[in-house]
Amino acid sequence: MFDFAVFGSLFLTLFVIMDPPGITPIFLALTSGRPVKVQRRMAWQAVCVAFGVIAVFGVCGQQILDYLHVSVPALMIAGGLLLLLIALDLLTGKNDEPKQTKDVNVALVPLGMPLLAGPGAIVSVILAVQKVDGPAGQVSVWAAIVAMHVVLWITMRYSLVIIRVIKDGGVVLVTRLAGMMLSAIAVQQIINGVLQVIDGA
């Protein structure tokens, strides 16, 4: 009733895309100056928003594709290109770190969307839901999604402790490694999409 291969694959993909270690300094910058209780509440709100957005696309992904007349291979290729752009940003360190805005709940925007529930994560979830068959695969996919958001919540909630342990250099190192892994995943996704187009021709 559980496919560990599907779970591991999607969890790793989402981990690389959402980048919990990399989101830590951004979260601290956005929530700086606020009480610890407020920071913890904002971490929870951001995770809930991200999960809600991804869940909607996970459940309604097929309907959205049908409405837009977009094939799965086309989505795979476009998603692969998008992931490759994200990977290049991780590798080159060109991620834009948004500044704190007092008049806006940063837990909703930009933390929940689009930093956590960004286009890369949304595309990956849609493709994962489309790919698996049977209840075991679906359970594995949604377990991976929930597990990833639990990791995100723990990372942001205890960000002050984590940043003291791994330091800024550790965050940079993990981000670069994540970029390398994500670039490989992106290229493989593009190859798979092209092969499906050739097979369907």
Side-chain angles (χ1 to χ4, degrees):
M1 288 299 294
F2 196 85
D3 192 328
F4 286 97
V6 172
F7 174 88
S9 176
L10 180 57
F11 180 84
L12 179 61
T13 301
L14 291 178
F15 186 90
V16 170
I17 296 172
M18 293 180 159
D19 189 21
I23 205 69
T24 299
I26 300 176
F27 174 76
L28 291 175
L30 289 171
T31 61
S32 62
R34 292 180 169 91
V36 176
K37 289 184 178 180
V38 175
Q39 286 182 318
R40 292 175 177 175
R41 184 174 71 248
M42 295 179 75
W44 173 251
Q45 290 175 340
V47 170
C48 288
V49 170
F51 179 80
V53 172
I54 288 180
V56 167
F57 278 93
V59 172
C60 305
Q62 183 60 60
Q63 289 79 359
I64 295 174
L65 291 179
D66 291 341
Y67 178 77
L68 297 175
H69 303 288
V70 176
S71 66
V72 173
L75 184 63
M76 291 179 68
I77 296 173
L81 293 172
L82 182 59
L83 295 182
L84 190 57
L85 292 175
I86 297 173
L88 292 175
D89 283 341
L90 293 176
L91 286 169
T92 57
K94 293 182 179 178
N95 291 318
D96 295 325
E97 295 189 5
K99 304 299 182 181
Q100 177 182 356
T101 305
K102 293 182 179 180
D103 297 333
V104 177
N105 186 352
V106 295
L108 308 180
V109 178
L111 267 177
M113 175 79 180
L115 284 178
L116 297 181
I122 291 172
V123 169
S124 297
V125 168
I126 292 177
L127 293 176
V129 172
Q130 292 292 319
K131 185 177 180 180
V132 296
D133 294 321
Q138 293 292 335
V139 169
S140 303
V141 165
W142 287 101
I145 294 172
V146 172
M148 185 65 251
H149 284 80
V150 171
V151 171
L152 285 168
W153 175 73
I154 293 174
T155 302
M156 288 189 294
R157 189 182 189 281
Y158 297 100
S159 58
L160 293 174
V161 177
I162 293 174
I163 206 70
R164 292 194 195 103
V165 173
I166 66 175
K167 307 294 184 182
D168 290 341
V171 173
V172 172
L173 176 61
V174 172
T175 301
R176 297 298 181 271
L177 292 174
M180 292 180 61
M181 296 174 64
L182 182 57
S183 62
I185 293 173
V187 171
Q188 185 61 55
Q189 187 165 300
I190 293 172
I191 293 173
N192 293 340
V194 172
L195 291 176
Q196 286 194 22
V197 171
I198 294 174
D199 291 340

